[in-house]
Amino acid sequence: MPRKPTPPEPQSDERFNEERATSTIRGSQPDIEAGVAAIREVLATLKPKPGVYRMLDARGDVLYVGKARALKNRVANYTQVDRLPLRLKRMVAQTRSMVIVTTNSEAEALLLEAQLIKRYRPPYNVLLRDDKSFPFILLRADHEFPRITKHRGARKAKGNYYGPFASAGSVNTTINALQKLFLLRSCTDSFFSRRDRPCLLYQIKRCSAPCVGRIDAAGYDELVRQAKDFLGGKSSAVQREIEAQMQAAAEALDFESAALLRDRLRAATFIQGSQAINAEGVGNADVFAIASSGGHFGIQAFFIRGGQNWGHRAFFPSHTDGLDEAEVLTSFLAQFYEEVPPPRTILIDRALPEADLLAEALAGAAGGKVEISVPQRGDRRRLIEQASRNAVEALERRQAESGTKARIMAEMAEFLELPEVPQRIEIYDNSHIQGTNALGAMVVAGPEGFIKGQYRKWNIKQAQTNDDFAMMREVMSRRFARVAEEDPDRDGGMWPDLVLIDGGKGQMSAVRDCLEEMGIEEVPLIAIAKGPHHGREGREVFHFPDGREKMLPVNSPVLFHLQRLRDEVHRYAIGAHREKRSRAITASPLDEIPGIGPARKRALLLHFGTASKVRAASLEDLQCAPGVSAAVAQTVYDFYHAGG
């Protein structure tokens, strides 16, 4: 199986993002002769080996990432400018250097290409614009009584993973039903170890209460076995087993157990009824269909596991100008499975030129041969047809929403007196309680919505009093001092086209004066504050730097859009402040001891009860604490008895 290669580290984490990549097209000076010369210089050293190449502009930003079975032959095509489409001509005109990485096979090159595209976000590659990781159901295996829980991110915990699910809502619904069906615990290990009586979940028949011995290890293992069978595709067998147990309990006049088994059987029926989508006999498969209209593409995905639909999601790749549907779908699949484990079966709605290569590349992550096929008949064909209909409908909705959004953005630019529709909007707010745990927050929005990877927060360092204006000045000075240093020419996509401040005249004056003192001009500023009749009407007042105030009608779509921007930064700021406050509340004097991590701190507190008793303990007492070595005990003792 091809080994998944590791891409080289980028020069800077902050340079490679969607905004910066898009600005590369605007910021570079095209010169097709210089681009061809740079490519020919690299071409002279290439050999016909598989690998990945990167096109770089004059600033070193990545324009394009490509893979090749024979690098020399593939790169040579870019020197034949007359045969290139307009899109690639523009890319060559901006190219000033290249980076080459050779691989052992073309399959490895495909994997590396997908990794680099997701890392660098090049403007001439198809991009899968989706910043949400997929949720899984995790049945942990690191405890005598395994816990069932939702999981996102790296799959480091020991246990069985089931997914992906299309959304958090679908996985939460499934977990709730699985708790009713198999009565598995969902509590943390620390909560489990502290129980001396059943919790509420036991009372509402969603847990078997192994924490207090209401079920023994053997009985719980049987529930876990049934859950694995059910999630692994043997749902019908599990249902028959539970039904037989219910009938046996009823015949034995054990009506309480029979009622419990009846409720479990209903939960199984609910799961199958809510997830069935004509997937009988399909097993584990991902289903993809693509639709196009007006140069835009929509891809619909169904996730089938054990013959059950675990959700569906629509994707809308960007940077697709001049490409056909097969090219877009191929690039999408390579990037999609960069983070999501592939099933052994992938169903698509059209033949792909590189389907065999993609299957070979995915085989390692799937743990065996991957089949990529275009169904022609039966249940699988009906799944593809359903996915195709959903892809068309999702794209139509997307285009309708985009048209409405574009109109709203144009009207917003006119109302706020901006020279053009803003491509980057930065919204700012502060959050604190009487000056304590103060922080500033910034969220970023573009024409297609919020760009969550660009959100930032700052701990307020200087303005420690309850002074919103001073806090806003500090945030602005830190934000714009950095952007002025990193992008002085304002061609890197890091400068905002509009700064929206949550506040009134005072906040506007503070920000305006701060930027003037820094010598920063031509940054549009608007402050949004609730007016005298905000109440249920939402009559926000918009303050301009020159002191003017404007308002919008209560039913204006522009007003709703600006309110949504303001509400998002408010949500982000409050959430960050709540997190900071929680950390401060749970802080312990033991945190100050070097070399004492969470596990050792917990061991000391469980043994002694309080931090003050840890301070007063003798060296011998510290050494007796479970999980505390002699060296750690000496470190703690020396910290509190530095004077001898």
Side-chain angles (χ1 to χ4, degrees), residues 202-238:
Y202 175 78
Q203 306 296 334
I204 61 175
K205 299 180 182 180
R206 287 177 54 183
C207 181
S208 54
C211 54
V212 293
R214 297 298 173 92
I215 186 173
D216 59 15
Y220 195 84
D221 287 344
E222 179 64 14
L223 294 178
V224 171
R225 194 268 306 167
Q226 289 182 342
K228 290 180 179 179
D229 288 346
F230 188 90
L231 292 169
K234 301 177 182 178
S235 56
S236 298
V238 172

Side-chain angles (χ1 to χ4, degrees), residues 114 118 128 130 134 164 286 288 301 303 305 313 315 329-343 346 362:
K118 291 183 73 69
L128 171 56
D130 191 90
F134 287 89
D286 286 346
F288 297 96
F303 306 115
R305 296 296 182 270
R313 183 185 292 187
F315 300 86
L329 185 57
T330 299
S331 183
F332 165 84
L333 290 174
Q335 293 181 54
F336 179 82
Y337 287 117
E338 168 60 21
E339 294 182 357
V340 177
I346 299 174
L362 297 179

Side-chain angles (χ1 to χ4, degrees), residues 481-513:
R482 180 169 182 174
V483 73
E485 178 183 354
E486 295 182 353
D487 188 16
D489 297 329
R490 301 194 183 190
D491 60 359
M494 301 171 66
W495 287 80
D497 300 313
L498 170 65
V499 170
L500 192 64
I501 307 154
D502 183 17
K505 292 182 179 179
Q507 283 81 358
M508 167 58 75
S509 299
V511 173
R512 181 194 60 207
D513 296 345

Side-chain angles (χ1 to χ4, degrees), residues 16-35:
F16 307 109
N17 56 62
E18 185 71 15
E19 290 299 306
R20 187 66 180 267
T22 304
S23 71
T24 304
I25 301 176
R26 300 194 299 266
S28 300
Q29 296 299 323
D31 186 339
I32 199 162
E33 293 183 0

